[in-house]
C-alpha cells in the first residue's frame, strides 16, 4: 500500500498540533506559563502548516472522494460533514483563544482555552479517521473538487 504524500503530511501536522496542545495544557497546569506560550505557538504553527498543505492540495489537485463500499458512503459523508464543522469551529475558537492569550486577557483565555482544546482534540481525531477511511482502510476514490467529493456527483 502506498500512501499519498500530501494527505499523509497534512494528517501528521494536525496530529502534531493536537499533541502540542495537550503538552501546552499540561505545562500551564504545572504553572510553566512561558513554556505553555511557546508550545501553544508551535501547536498553532503545526495547525497552520496542516491548513496550508490541505488548502494547496485542494486548490491544485482536488479532494479525494470516498472509495469504500456504497452502502456506507452515507455514513462517511455524515461523518465528513461533522468533521468539517468541528474543524471550522476549532479553527475559529483557536484564533480567538490565541488572540485572548496574546492580548493578555487571561480570564477569558482560561475560560475558552479548555473548550478550544477539546474541540481541537476531536477535530484531530476525526481528521485521522477521515484520512484512514480515504487512504488506509479503502482505496481513495476519484480526486475531484470539494463539492463533488462531498456530494458524490
Amino acid at each position: 500500500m502506498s500512501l499519498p504524500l500530501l494527505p499523509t503530511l497534512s494528517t501528521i501536522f494536525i496530529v502534531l498540533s493536537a499533541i502540542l496542545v495537550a503538552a501546552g495544557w499540561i505545562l500551564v497546569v504545572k504553572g510553566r506559563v512561558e513554556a505553555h506560550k511557546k508550545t501553544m505557538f508551535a501547536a498553532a504553527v503545526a495547525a497552520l502548516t496542516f491548513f496550508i498543505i490541505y488548502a494547496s492540495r485542494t486548490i491544485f489537485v482536488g479532494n479525494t472522494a470516498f472509495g469504500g463500499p456504497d452502502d456506507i458512503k452515507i455514513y462517511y459523508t455524515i461523518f465528513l460533514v461533522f468533521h468539517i464543522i468541528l474543524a471550522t469551529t476549532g479553527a475559529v475558537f483557536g484564533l480567538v483563544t490565541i488572540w485572548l492569550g496574546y492580548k493578555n486577557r487571561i480570564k477569558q483565555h482560561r475560560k475558552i482555552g479548555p473548550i478550544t482544546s477539546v474541540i481541537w482534540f476531536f477535530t484531530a481525531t476525526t481528521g485521522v479517521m477521515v484520512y484512514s477511511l480515504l487512504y488506509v482502510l479503502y482505496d481513495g476514490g476519484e480526486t475531484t473538487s470539494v463539492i463533488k467529493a462531498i456530494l458524490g456527483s
Side-chain angles (χ1 to χ4, degrees), residues 38-57:
K38 290 175 183 174
T39 303
M40 293 312 229
F41 180 77
V45 169
L48 180 61
T49 302
F50 153 80
F51 182 74
I52 290 168
I53 294 169
Y54 174 80
S56 298
R57 181 177 185 277

Side-chain angles (χ1 to χ4, degrees), residues 4 9 11 16 21-22 31 40 42 51 53 55 63 67 72 74 80 85 97 103 115 120 125 131 136 138 140:
L9 276 176
T11 301
L16 177 60
V21 166
M40 293 312 229
F51 182 74
I53 294 169
N63 274 5
I72 65 169
I74 186 66
L80 178 61
I85 292 168
T97 304
K103 290 296 187 177
I115 297 166
W120 203 248
T125 302
Y131 171 83
V136 178
Y138 304 107

Side-chain angles (χ1 to χ4, degrees), residues 65-66 73 77 142 144-153:
F66 181 65
K73 183 176 182 181
T77 302
E142 174 186 346
T144 187
S145 72
V146 176
I147 299 301
K148 286 183 181 179
I150 291 172
L151 300 179
S153 53

